[in-house]
Amino acid sequence: MRGGRADGRTGGAADRWGAVLNLCAAVALLAMAAPSAHAQPGVAAPPAVRPSARLPVRPSDSSLIISLLTMGVGAEVWERFGHNAILVQDRLHGTSIAYNYGLFDFRQENFVLRFIQGRMLYWMEGFDAAPMIEHYIHDNRTIWVQELNLSSEQSRALADFLEWNARPENRFYHYDYYKDNCSTRVRDAIDRILGGQMRAEMDTIPTGTTYRSHTERLTESDPALYSALLLALGEPADHELSAWEEMFLPVELHRWLAQVHVRGADGRPMALVRAERTLYLSTRPVPPARPPHWLVAYLAAGVAIGAGLVVLARRAVASRRAARGFAWLAGGWTLMIGVAGGILAFLWAFTDHTAAYRNENLFQANLLLLPLALLAPRLARGSAWARQPAVTLAWAVAAVSVLGLLVKLLPGFDQANAEVLAFAVPANVGLGIGVSMVARQRPVSGGAPGVKD
């Protein structure tokens, strides 16, 4: 395997690696974000855009046809955000090359380490378009083609830039799930040839969406992945996107490109997209336009965990079965959320996944919970040494959790984490109450006479 696509299939063991890494990325968020457009050391600057190509002069009369290829969502985790490429057709030589910015290689030096650090190296390359299109048709993914209304000079300038960018010394870049990915690279290459006209028009248009809202709606079909991303994304994922920023999604780039106008030779605006057609229409369900509303479900789950801890704690003095149930529920909850808190802290402190920075969910999931994964079960078994530290930590966890709710009343705490609060606060408060009840009631050394199962 020479390389894989960020959106998809790499074959055999690589597919399994891709699933694992993308799921980890979901928790780590990964997806998600160092500043865009990092240059590789020692790489020459890209060729300058010809002055004559900065403004559309006339419809292309050259042999080159430049189009945007957009592929819709697929079934796999890494395919749910779509994909795209720039198609360069040369009628004179009969070639059709698709330039793909979503390539990576699992065998790349330090791939796993770079993945964890948020410093993954992706690259771009040109491929014969026909088999690439057949691949996406085989995977039942919608394919759109938008022919761009570029002058002959612009078409040649873009083709030259793509050829330059595909050279081994120029092709690599630091991938970011939101700010520097296969779609933003395509967007930037087109806008470069337009002299910044597309960004000037699109950067001022509000969309009412965020990185988080798009991530949630596109992962709705996978509740576990949805919840992991909900927890891992920090405050940077919640600012409202402009149309320019929203083009980080290939399908949104396709949609907005159809609305872009650039200046013609006479100075009047003309549509950037000359013609559009659908090469293949998928039979898959269309992704939802808005994220799901699962606040009540998360609240019900959190209340169930908190209430379960309290009920089991109340019965623990009289029933070994209840004591064991409390030990398992308290130990499982604190281990799961404590590990999640460790990951969140690691992402903020030691990685370039900037979309996971300033994460208010650390009030709900933090390292204070991890010692309780040991102390709470020991307490339920009657260990005297576990009583005081367990009670102290449990109430500290509950207090910090409630504090995470109260700070929402203050300015600057604007992270969209209502579902996490609804889930974690009742559970953490129930943990504090339950541990205190067990500490008061549970006899030392495994149970008093008459305790029954």
Side-chain angles (χ1 to χ4, degrees), residues 242-277:
S242 67
W244 173 260
E245 293 171 310
E246 194 176 45
M247 294 178 188
F248 85 96
L249 286 174
V251 175
E252 296 303 318
L253 175 57
H254 162 263
R255 181 173 68 87
W256 283 112
L257 203 68
Q259 303 179 42
V260 172
H261 287 77
V262 292
R263 295 186 301 275
D266 56 3
R268 293 188 297 183
M270 66 178 187
L272 177 58
V273 175
R274 174 184 296 149
E276 180 174 338
R277 65 188 186 279

PDB file of all heavy atoms in Angstrom, residues 242-277:
ATOM      1  N   SER A 242     -18.044  31.166   9.114  1.00  0.00           N
ATOM      2  CA  SER A 242     -18.379  31.875   7.886  1.00  0.00           C
ATOM      3  C   SER A 242     -18.528  30.848   6.775  1.00  0.00           C
ATOM      4  O   SER A 242     -18.153  29.675   6.927  1.00  0.00           O
ATOM      5  CB  SER A 242     -17.279  32.875   7.528  1.00  0.00           C
ATOM      6  OG  SER A 242     -16.084  32.188   7.180  1.00  0.00           O
ATOM      7  N   ALA A 243     -19.069  31.278   5.656  1.00  0.00           N
ATOM      8  CA  ALA A 243     -19.181  30.363   4.514  1.00  0.00           C
ATOM      9  C   ALA A 243     -17.808  29.857   4.094  1.00  0.00           C
ATOM     10  O   ALA A 243     -17.649  28.697   3.706  1.00  0.00           O
ATOM     11  CB  ALA A 243     -19.876  31.069   3.354  1.00  0.00           C
ATOM     12  N   TRP A 244     -16.797  30.717   4.194  1.00  0.00           N
ATOM     13  CA  TRP A 244     -15.438  30.314   3.840  1.00  0.00           C
ATOM     14  C   TRP A 244     -14.955  29.181   4.743  1.00  0.00           C
ATOM     15  O   TRP A 244     -14.410  28.183   4.281  1.00  0.00           O
ATOM     16  CB  TRP A 244     -14.507  31.519   3.958  1.00  0.00           C
ATOM     17  CG  TRP A 244     -13.055  31.223   3.777  1.00  0.00           C
ATOM     18  CD1 TRP A 244     -12.122  31.074   4.756  1.00  0.00           C
ATOM     19  CD2 TRP A 244     -12.368  31.031   2.534  1.00  0.00           C
ATOM     20  NE1 TRP A 244     -10.893  30.803   4.215  1.00  0.00           N
ATOM     21  CE2 TRP A 244     -11.007  30.770   2.848  1.00  0.00           C
ATOM     22  CE3 TRP A 244     -12.750  31.060   1.196  1.00  0.00           C
ATOM     23  CZ2 TRP A 244     -10.047  30.541   1.878  1.00  0.00           C
ATOM     24  CZ3 TRP A 244     -11.790  30.837   0.222  1.00  0.00           C
ATOM     25  CH2 TRP A 244     -10.464  30.577   0.553  1.00  0.00           C
ATOM     26  N   GLU A 245     -15.169  29.314   6.045  1.00  0.00           N
ATOM     27  CA  GLU A 245     -14.749  28.272   6.982  1.00  0.00           C
ATOM     28  C   GLU A 245     -15.564  27.003   6.817  1.00  0.00           C
ATOM     29  O   GLU A 245     -15.045  25.893   6.977  1.00  0.00           O
ATOM     30  CB  GLU A 245     -14.873  28.784   8.417  1.00  0.00           C
ATOM     31  CG  GLU A 245     -13.915  29.905   8.766  1.00  0.00           C
ATOM     32  CD  GLU A 245     -14.225  30.523  10.112  1.00  0.00           C
ATOM     33  OE1 GLU A 245     -15.402  30.880  10.356  1.00  0.00           O
ATOM     34  OE2 GLU A 245     -13.292  30.648  10.931  1.00  0.00           O
ATOM     35  N   GLU A 246     -16.831  27.151   6.498  1.00  0.00           N
ATOM     36  CA  GLU A 246     -17.702  25.983   6.366  1.00  0.00           C
ATOM     37  C   GLU A 246     -17.294  25.094   5.196  1.00  0.00           C
ATOM     38  O   GLU A 246     -17.668  23.919   5.136  1.00  0.00           O
ATOM     39  CB  GLU A 246     -19.162  26.429   6.197  1.00  0.00           C
ATOM     40  CG  GLU A 246     -20.152  25.295   6.402  1.00  0.00           C
ATOM     41  CD  GLU A 246     -21.590  25.777   6.325  1.00  0.00           C
ATOM     42  OE1 GLU A 246     -21.906  26.554   5.395  1.00  0.00           O
ATOM     43  OE2 GLU A 246     -22.408  25.376   7.172  1.00  0.00           O
ATOM     44  N   MET A 247     -16.482  25.643   4.306  1.00  0.00           N
ATOM     45  CA  MET A 247     -16.001  24.854   3.180  1.00  0.00           C
ATOM     46  C   MET A 247     -14.994  23.793   3.596  1.00  0.00           C
ATOM     47  O   MET A 247     -14.458  23.078   2.738  1.00  0.00           O
ATOM     48  CB  MET A 247     -15.384  25.772   2.120  1.00  0.00           C
ATOM     49  CG  MET A 247     -16.374  26.696   1.440  1.00  0.00           C
ATOM     50  SD  MET A 247     -15.543  27.798   0.245  1.00  0.00           S
ATOM     51  CE  MET A 247     -16.896  28.902  -0.195  1.00  0.00           C
ATOM     52  N   PHE A 248     -14.746  23.633   4.904  1.00  0.00           N
ATOM     53  CA  PHE A 248     -13.912  22.511   5.349  1.00  0.00           C
ATOM     54  C   PHE A 248     -14.598  21.183   5.044  1.00  0.00           C
ATOM     55  O   PHE A 248     -13.955  20.140   4.979  1.00  0.00           O
ATOM     56  CB  PHE A 248     -13.612  22.620   6.855  1.00  0.00           C
ATOM     57  CG  PHE A 248     -14.679  22.050   7.761  1.00  0.00           C
ATOM     58  CD1 PHE A 248     -14.554  20.756   8.248  1.00  0.00           C
ATOM     59  CD2 PHE A 248     -15.781  22.798   8.130  1.00  0.00           C
ATOM     60  CE1 PHE A 248     -15.514  20.218   9.092  1.00  0.00           C
ATOM     61  CE2 PHE A 248     -16.747  22.272   8.978  1.00  0.00           C
ATOM     62  CZ  PHE A 248     -16.612  20.982   9.464  1.00  0.00           C
ATOM     63  N   LEU A 249     -15.900  21.219   4.842  1.00  0.00           N
ATOM     64  CA  LEU A 249     -16.641  20.035   4.420  1.00  0.00           C
ATOM     65  C   LEU A 249     -16.781  20.032   2.903  1.00  0.00           C
ATOM     66  O   LEU A 249     -17.239  21.027   2.323  1.00  0.00           O
ATOM     67  CB  LEU A 249     -18.039  20.020   5.050  1.00  0.00           C
ATOM     68  CG  LEU A 249     -18.129  19.672   6.530  1.00  0.00           C
ATOM     69  CD1 LEU A 249     -19.556  19.851   7.021  1.00  0.00           C
ATOM     70  CD2 LEU A 249     -17.649  18.249   6.778  1.00  0.00           C
ATOM     71  N   PRO A 250     -16.403  18.956   2.246  1.00  0.00           N
ATOM     72  CA  PRO A 250     -16.496  18.920   0.780  1.00  0.00           C
ATOM     73  C   PRO A 250     -17.879  19.236   0.240  1.00  0.00           C
ATOM     74  O   PRO A 250     -18.006  19.970  -0.752  1.00  0.00           O
ATOM     75  CB  PRO A 250     -16.081  17.486   0.445  1.00  0.00           C
ATOM     76  CG  PRO A 250     -15.138  17.114   1.550  1.00  0.00           C
ATOM     77  CD  PRO A 250     -15.719  17.752   2.776  1.00  0.00           C
ATOM     78  N   VAL A 251     -18.921  18.709   0.861  1.00  0.00           N
ATOM     79  CA  VAL A 251     -20.275  18.956   0.355  1.00  0.00           C
ATOM     80  C   VAL A 251     -20.644  20.425   0.515  1.00  0.00           C
ATOM     81  O   VAL A 251     -21.358  20.995  -0.318  1.00  0.00           O
ATOM     82  CB  VAL A 251     -21.287  18.044   1.066  1.00  0.00           C
ATOM     83  CG1 VAL A 251     -22.720  18.387   0.645  1.00  0.00           C
ATOM     84  CG2 VAL A 251     -21.003  16.573   0.739  1.00  0.00           C
ATOM     85  N   GLU A 252     -20.157  21.061   1.578  1.00  0.00           N
ATOM     86  CA  GLU A 252     -20.432  22.492   1.756  1.00  0.00           C
ATOM     87  C   GLU A 252     -19.624  23.327   0.766  1.00  0.00           C
ATOM     88  O   GLU A 252     -20.111  24.357   0.273  1.00  0.00           O
ATOM     89  CB  GLU A 252     -20.117  22.917   3.190  1.00  0.00           C
ATOM     90  CG  GLU A 252     -20.999  22.255   4.238  1.00  0.00           C
ATOM     91  CD  GLU A 252     -22.481  22.512   3.996  1.00  0.00           C
ATOM     92  OE1 GLU A 252     -22.850  23.653   3.657  1.00  0.00           O
ATOM     93  OE2 GLU A 252     -23.266  21.553   4.145  1.00  0.00           O
ATOM     94  N   LEU A 253     -18.408  22.924   0.455  1.00  0.00           N
ATOM     95  CA  LEU A 253     -17.643  23.602  -0.596  1.00  0.00           C
ATOM     96  C   LEU A 253     -18.397  23.511  -1.923  1.00  0.00           C
ATOM     97  O   LEU A 253     -18.496  24.504  -2.659  1.00  0.00           O
ATOM     98  CB  LEU A 253     -16.255  22.976  -0.724  1.00  0.00           C
ATOM     99  CG  LEU A 253     -15.379  23.501  -1.873  1.00  0.00           C
ATOM    100  CD1 LEU A 253     -15.180  25.008  -1.792  1.00  0.00           C
ATOM    101  CD2 LEU A 253     -14.018  22.782  -1.875  1.00  0.00           C
ATOM    102  N   HIS A 254     -18.921  22.334  -2.218  1.00  0.00           N
ATOM    103  CA  HIS A 254     -19.716  22.150  -3.434  1.00  0.00           C
ATOM    104  C   HIS A 254     -20.912  23.097  -3.444  1.00  0.00           C
ATOM    105  O   HIS A 254     -21.223  23.748  -4.454  1.00  0.00           O
ATOM    106  CB  HIS A 254     -20.171  20.689  -3.513  1.00  0.00           C
ATOM    107  CG  HIS A 254     -21.304  20.443  -4.446  1.00  0.00           C
ATOM    108  ND1 HIS A 254     -22.622  20.372  -4.022  1.00  0.00           N
ATOM    109  CD2 HIS A 254     -21.334  20.259  -5.786  1.00  0.00           C
ATOM    110  CE1 HIS A 254     -23.396  20.145  -5.065  1.00  0.00           C
ATOM    111  NE2 HIS A 254     -22.655  20.087  -6.136  1.00  0.00           N
ATOM    112  N   ARG A 255     -21.600  23.205  -2.310  1.00  0.00           N
ATOM    113  CA  ARG A 255     -22.802  24.045  -2.236  1.00  0.00           C
ATOM    114  C   ARG A 255     -22.465  25.529  -2.362  1.00  0.00           C
ATOM    115  O   ARG A 255     -23.117  26.262  -3.126  1.00  0.00           O
ATOM    116  CB  ARG A 255     -23.521  23.782  -0.914  1.00  0.00           C
ATOM    117  CG  ARG A 255     -24.808  24.575  -0.731  1.00  0.00           C
ATOM    118  CD  ARG A 255     -25.539  24.122   0.511  1.00  0.00           C
ATOM    119  NE  ARG A 255     -24.839  24.472   1.733  1.00  0.00           N
ATOM    120  CZ  ARG A 255     -24.974  25.639   2.363  1.00  0.00           C
ATOM    121  NH1 ARG A 255     -25.794  26.575   1.865  1.00  0.00           N
ATOM    122  NH2 ARG A 255     -24.330  25.890   3.479  1.00  0.00           N
ATOM    123  N   TRP A 256     -21.448  25.980  -1.640  1.00  0.00           N
ATOM    124  CA  TRP A 256     -21.109  27.399  -1.671  1.00  0.00           C
ATOM    125  C   TRP A 256     -20.468  27.810  -2.989  1.00  0.00           C
ATOM    126  O   TRP A 256     -20.651  28.943  -3.449  1.00  0.00           O
ATOM    127  CB  TRP A 256     -20.183  27.753  -0.513  1.00  0.00           C
ATOM    128  CG  TRP A 256     -20.882  27.871   0.808  1.00  0.00           C
ATOM    129  CD1 TRP A 256     -20.751  27.051   1.889  1.00  0.00           C
ATOM    130  CD2 TRP A 256     -21.833  28.870   1.187  1.00  0.00           C
ATOM    131  NE1 TRP A 256     -21.554  27.482   2.915  1.00  0.00           N
ATOM    132  CE2 TRP A 256     -22.224  28.602   2.517  1.00  0.00           C
ATOM    133  CE3 TRP A 256     -22.389  29.978   0.529  1.00  0.00           C
ATOM    134  CZ2 TRP A 256     -23.147  29.388   3.195  1.00  0.00           C
ATOM    135  CZ3 TRP A 256     -23.310  30.761   1.209  1.00  0.00           C
ATOM    136  CH2 TRP A 256     -23.681  30.466   2.515  1.00  0.00           C
ATOM    137  N   LEU A 257     -19.714  26.903  -3.598  1.00  0.00           N
ATOM    138  CA  LEU A 257     -19.058  27.245  -4.861  1.00  0.00           C
ATOM    139  C   LEU A 257     -20.077  27.645  -5.927  1.00  0.00           C
ATOM    140  O   LEU A 257     -19.811  28.514  -6.763  1.00  0.00           O
ATOM    141  CB  LEU A 257     -18.225  26.048  -5.347  1.00  0.00           C
ATOM    142  CG  LEU A 257     -17.077  26.367  -6.310  1.00  0.00           C
ATOM    143  CD1 LEU A 257     -15.996  27.155  -5.595  1.00  0.00           C
ATOM    144  CD2 LEU A 257     -16.494  25.078  -6.881  1.00  0.00           C
ATOM    145  N   ALA A 258     -21.247  27.013  -5.884  1.00  0.00           N
ATOM    146  CA  ALA A 258     -22.299  27.331  -6.855  1.00  0.00           C
ATOM    147  C   ALA A 258     -22.833  28.749  -6.672  1.00  0.00           C
ATOM    148  O   ALA A 258     -23.511  29.272  -7.567  1.00  0.00           O
ATOM    149  CB  ALA A 258     -23.432  26.319  -6.734  1.00  0.00           C
ATOM    150  N   GLN A 259     -22.532  29.379  -5.523  1.00  0.00           N
ATOM    151  CA  GLN A 259     -23.032  30.730  -5.262  1.00  0.00           C
ATOM    152  C   GLN A 259     -21.956  31.797  -5.419  1.00  0.00           C
ATOM    153  O   GLN A 259     -22.243  32.985  -5.275  1.00  0.00           O
ATOM    154  CB  GLN A 259     -23.603  30.786  -3.844  1.00  0.00           C
ATOM    155  CG  GLN A 259     -24.706  29.768  -3.591  1.00  0.00           C
ATOM    156  CD  GLN A 259     -25.246  29.826  -2.180  1.00  0.00           C
ATOM    157  OE1 GLN A 259     -25.450  30.908  -1.633  1.00  0.00           O
ATOM    158  NE2 GLN A 259     -25.471  28.669  -1.572  1.00  0.00           N
ATOM    159  N   VAL A 260     -20.740  31.391  -5.702  1.00  0.00           N
ATOM    160  CA  VAL A 260     -19.625  32.340  -5.818  1.00  0.00           C
ATOM    161  C   VAL A 260     -19.685  33.061  -7.160  1.00  0.00           C
ATOM    162  O   VAL A 260     -19.937  32.447  -8.207  1.00  0.00           O
ATOM    163  CB  VAL A 260     -18.269  31.616  -5.671  1.00  0.00           C
ATOM    164  CG1 VAL A 260     -17.117  32.563  -5.996  1.00  0.00           C
ATOM    165  CG2 VAL A 260     -18.122  31.060  -4.265  1.00  0.00           C
ATOM    166  N   HIS A 261     -19.449  34.360  -7.122  1.00  0.00           N
ATOM    167  CA  HIS A 261     -19.319  35.164  -8.337  1.00  0.00           C
ATOM    168  C   HIS A 261     -17.966  35.862  -8.332  1.00  0.00           C
ATOM    169  O   HIS A 261     -17.484  36.299  -7.276  1.00  0.00           O
ATOM    170  CB  HIS A 261     -20.442  36.203  -8.437  1.00  0.00           C
ATOM    171  CG  HIS A 261     -21.767  35.606  -8.768  1.00  0.00           C
ATOM    172  ND1 HIS A 261     -22.545  34.943  -7.837  1.00  0.00           N
ATOM    173  CD2 HIS A 261     -22.462  35.548  -9.953  1.00  0.00           C
ATOM    174  CE1 HIS A 261     -23.655  34.515  -8.407  1.00  0.00           C
ATOM    175  NE2 HIS A 261     -23.628  34.863  -9.686  1.00  0.00           N
ATOM    176  N   VAL A 262     -17.356  35.934  -9.484  1.00  0.00           N
ATOM    177  CA  VAL A 262     -16.064  36.597  -9.640  1.00  0.00           C
ATOM    178  C   VAL A 262     -16.192  37.648 -10.736  1.00  0.00           C
ATOM    179  O   VAL A 262     -17.142  37.641 -11.525  1.00  0.00           O
ATOM    180  CB  VAL A 262     -14.959  35.588  -9.984  1.00  0.00           C
ATOM    181  CG1 VAL A 262     -14.683  34.671  -8.798  1.00  0.00           C
ATOM    182  CG2 VAL A 262     -15.320  34.768 -11.211  1.00  0.00           C
ATOM    183  N   ARG A 263     -15.218  38.557 -10.794  1.00  0.00           N
ATOM    184  CA  ARG A 263     -15.282  39.646 -11.748  1.00  0.00           C
ATOM    185  C   ARG A 263     -14.896  39.181 -13.147  1.00  0.00           C
ATOM    186  O   ARG A 263     -13.888  38.494 -13.340  1.00  0.00           O
ATOM    187  CB  ARG A 263     -14.359  40.783 -11.315  1.00  0.00           C
ATOM    188  CG  ARG A 263     -14.784  41.452 -10.012  1.00  0.00           C
ATOM    189  CD  ARG A 263     -13.922  42.668  -9.709  1.00  0.00           C
ATOM    190  NE  ARG A 263     -12.508  42.314  -9.589  1.00  0.00           N
ATOM    191  CZ  ARG A 263     -11.947  41.877  -8.473  1.00  0.00           C
ATOM    192  NH1 ARG A 263     -12.678  41.702  -7.385  1.00  0.00           N
ATOM    193  NH2 ARG A 263     -10.651  41.603  -8.436  1.00  0.00           N
ATOM    194  N   GLY A 264     -15.682  39.580 -14.109  1.00  0.00           N
ATOM    195  CA  GLY A 264     -15.385  39.289 -15.498  1.00  0.00           C
ATOM    196  C   GLY A 264     -14.498  40.352 -16.117  1.00  0.00           C
ATOM    197  O   GLY A 264     -14.062  41.303 -15.454  1.00  0.00           O
ATOM    198  N   ALA A 265     -14.245  40.203 -17.395  1.00  0.00           N
ATOM    199  CA  ALA A 265     -13.365  41.143 -18.098  1.00  0.00           C
ATOM    200  C   ALA A 265     -13.930  42.555 -18.073  1.00  0.00           C
ATOM    201  O   ALA A 265     -13.182  43.543 -18.052  1.00  0.00           O
ATOM    202  CB  ALA A 265     -13.158  40.681 -19.539  1.00  0.00           C
ATOM    203  N   ASP A 266     -15.267  42.661 -18.053  1.00  0.00           N
ATOM    204  CA  ASP A 266     -15.891  43.983 -18.039  1.00  0.00           C
ATOM    205  C   ASP A 266     -16.107  44.509 -16.631  1.00  0.00           C
ATOM    206  O   ASP A 266     -16.735  45.550 -16.439  1.00  0.00           O
ATOM    207  CB  ASP A 266     -17.225  43.934 -18.787  1.00  0.00           C
ATOM    208  CG  ASP A 266     -18.166  42.875 -18.223  1.00  0.00           C
ATOM    209  OD1 ASP A 266     -17.803  42.222 -17.216  1.00  0.00           O
ATOM    210  OD2 ASP A 266     -19.264  42.693 -18.794  1.00  0.00           O
ATOM    211  N   GLY A 267     -15.612  43.755 -15.629  1.00  0.00           N
ATOM    212  CA  GLY A 267     -15.742  44.195 -14.246  1.00  0.00           C
ATOM    213  C   GLY A 267     -17.015  43.755 -13.581  1.00  0.00           C
ATOM    214  O   GLY A 267     -17.173  43.941 -12.370  1.00  0.00           O
ATOM    215  N   ARG A 268     -17.940  43.185 -14.349  1.00  0.00           N
ATOM    216  CA  ARG A 268     -19.201  42.721 -13.768  1.00  0.00           C
ATOM    217  C   ARG A 268     -19.061  41.294 -13.259  1.00  0.00           C
ATOM    218  O   ARG A 268     -18.259  40.520 -13.780  1.00  0.00           O
ATOM    219  CB  ARG A 268     -20.322  42.822 -14.801  1.00  0.00           C
ATOM    220  CG  ARG A 268     -20.666  44.269 -15.171  1.00  0.00           C
ATOM    221  CD  ARG A 268     -21.887  44.355 -16.045  1.00  0.00           C
ATOM    222  NE  ARG A 268     -21.686  43.693 -17.331  1.00  0.00           N
ATOM    223  CZ  ARG A 268     -22.606  43.680 -18.305  1.00  0.00           C
ATOM    224  NH1 ARG A 268     -23.772  44.271 -18.113  1.00  0.00           N
ATOM    225  NH2 ARG A 268     -22.341  43.066 -19.440  1.00  0.00           N
ATOM    226  N   PRO A 269     -19.870  40.929 -12.232  1.00  0.00           N
ATOM    227  CA  PRO A 269     -19.737  39.580 -11.668  1.00  0.00           C
ATOM    228  C   PRO A 269     -20.263  38.506 -12.606  1.00  0.00           C
ATOM    229  O   PRO A 269     -21.217  38.730 -13.367  1.00  0.00           O
ATOM    230  CB  PRO A 269     -20.583  39.657 -10.395  1.00  0.00           C
ATOM    231  CG  PRO A 269     -21.567  40.753 -10.641  1.00  0.00           C
ATOM    232  CD  PRO A 269     -20.869  41.743 -11.513  1.00  0.00           C
ATOM    233  N   MET A 270     -19.613  37.356 -12.569  1.00  0.00           N
ATOM    234  CA  MET A 270     -20.108  36.198 -13.305  1.00  0.00           C
ATOM    235  C   MET A 270     -19.950  34.973 -12.407  1.00  0.00           C
ATOM    236  O   MET A 270     -19.107  34.936 -11.503  1.00  0.00           O
ATOM    237  CB  MET A 270     -19.338  35.998 -14.604  1.00  0.00           C
ATOM    238  CG  MET A 270     -17.885  35.631 -14.450  1.00  0.00           C
ATOM    239  SD  MET A 270     -17.062  35.360 -16.039  1.00  0.00           S
ATOM    240  CE  MET A 270     -15.460  34.755 -15.487  1.00  0.00           C
ATOM    241  N   ALA A 271     -20.791  33.979 -12.622  1.00  0.00           N
ATOM    242  CA  ALA A 271     -20.780  32.776 -11.800  1.00  0.00           C
ATOM    243  C   ALA A 271     -19.461  32.021 -11.977  1.00  0.00           C
ATOM    244  O   ALA A 271     -18.980  31.857 -13.103  1.00  0.00           O
ATOM    245  CB  ALA A 271     -21.958  31.883 -12.160  1.00  0.00           C
ATOM    246  N   LEU A 272     -18.905  31.553 -10.866  1.00  0.00           N
ATOM    247  CA  LEU A 272     -17.669  30.774 -10.946  1.00  0.00           C
ATOM    248  C   LEU A 272     -17.919  29.392 -11.539  1.00  0.00           C
ATOM    249  O   LEU A 272     -17.074  28.857 -12.242  1.00  0.00           O
ATOM    250  CB  LEU A 272     -17.047  30.641  -9.549  1.00  0.00           C
ATOM    251  CG  LEU A 272     -15.787  29.787  -9.444  1.00  0.00           C
ATOM    252  CD1 LEU A 272     -14.681  30.311 -10.366  1.00  0.00           C
ATOM    253  CD2 LEU A 272     -15.297  29.717  -8.004  1.00  0.00           C
ATOM    254  N   VAL A 273     -19.080  28.821 -11.256  1.00  0.00           N
ATOM    255  CA  VAL A 273     -19.406  27.500 -11.790  1.00  0.00           C
ATOM    256  C   VAL A 273     -20.108  27.666 -13.134  1.00  0.00           C
ATOM    257  O   VAL A 273     -21.195  28.239 -13.217  1.00  0.00           O
ATOM    258  CB  VAL A 273     -20.292  26.709 -10.811  1.00  0.00           C
ATOM    259  CG1 VAL A 273     -20.738  25.382 -11.430  1.00  0.00           C
ATOM    260  CG2 VAL A 273     -19.543  26.459  -9.506  1.00  0.00           C
ATOM    261  N   ARG A 274     -19.488  27.148 -14.172  1.00  0.00           N
ATOM    262  CA  ARG A 274     -20.059  27.254 -15.516  1.00  0.00           C
ATOM    263  C   ARG A 274     -21.152  26.214 -15.745  1.00  0.00           C
ATOM    264  O   ARG A 274     -22.190  26.504 -16.343  1.00  0.00           O
ATOM    265  CB  ARG A 274     -18.949  27.073 -16.551  1.00  0.00           C
ATOM    266  CG  ARG A 274     -19.478  27.025 -18.001  1.00  0.00           C
ATOM    267  CD  ARG A 274     -18.349  26.747 -18.980  1.00  0.00           C
ATOM    268  NE  ARG A 274     -17.399  27.843 -18.958  1.00  0.00           N
ATOM    269  CZ  ARG A 274     -16.104  27.712 -19.193  1.00  0.00           C
ATOM    270  NH1 ARG A 274     -15.589  26.515 -19.406  1.00  0.00           N
ATOM    271  NH2 ARG A 274     -15.309  28.752 -19.188  1.00  0.00           N
ATOM    272  N   ALA A 275     -20.911  25.002 -15.278  1.00  0.00           N
ATOM    273  CA  ALA A 275     -21.873  23.920 -15.487  1.00  0.00           C
ATOM    274  C   ALA A 275     -21.718  22.913 -14.357  1.00  0.00           C
ATOM    275  O   ALA A 275     -20.630  22.740 -13.803  1.00  0.00           O
ATOM    276  CB  ALA A 275     -21.653  23.242 -16.843  1.00  0.00           C
ATOM    277  N   GLU A 276     -22.800  22.258 -14.023  1.00  0.00           N
ATOM    278  CA  GLU A 276     -22.772  21.263 -12.952  1.00  0.00           C
ATOM    279  C   GLU A 276     -23.592  20.056 -13.358  1.00  0.00           C
ATOM    280  O   GLU A 276     -24.648  20.180 -13.980  1.00  0.00           O
ATOM    281  CB  GLU A 276     -23.330  21.863 -11.656  1.00  0.00           C
ATOM    282  CG  GLU A 276     -23.336  20.883 -10.490  1.00  0.00           C
ATOM    283  CD  GLU A 276     -23.755  21.533  -9.172  1.00  0.00           C
ATOM    284  OE1 GLU A 276     -23.634  22.771  -9.054  1.00  0.00           O
ATOM    285  OE2 GLU A 276     -24.190  20.790  -8.271  1.00  0.00           O
ATOM    286  N   ARG A 277     -23.091  18.874 -12.991  1.00  0.00           N
ATOM    287  CA  ARG A 277     -23.847  17.658 -13.279  1.00  0.00           C
ATOM    288  C   ARG A 277     -23.574  16.629 -12.189  1.00  0.00           C
ATOM    289  O   ARG A 277     -22.557  16.694 -11.485  1.00  0.00           O
ATOM    290  CB  ARG A 277     -23.488  17.090 -14.645  1.00  0.00           C
ATOM    291  CG  ARG A 277     -22.054  16.597 -14.797  1.00  0.00           C
ATOM    292  CD  ARG A 277     -21.750  16.245 -16.241  1.00  0.00           C
ATOM    293  NE  ARG A 277     -20.430  15.644 -16.425  1.00  0.00           N
ATOM    294  CZ  ARG A 277     -19.305  16.320 -16.509  1.00  0.00           C
ATOM    295  NH1 ARG A 277     -19.337  17.642 -16.438  1.00  0.00           N
ATOM    296  NH2 ARG A 277     -18.155  15.681 -16.684  1.00  0.00           N
TER     297      ARG A 277
END
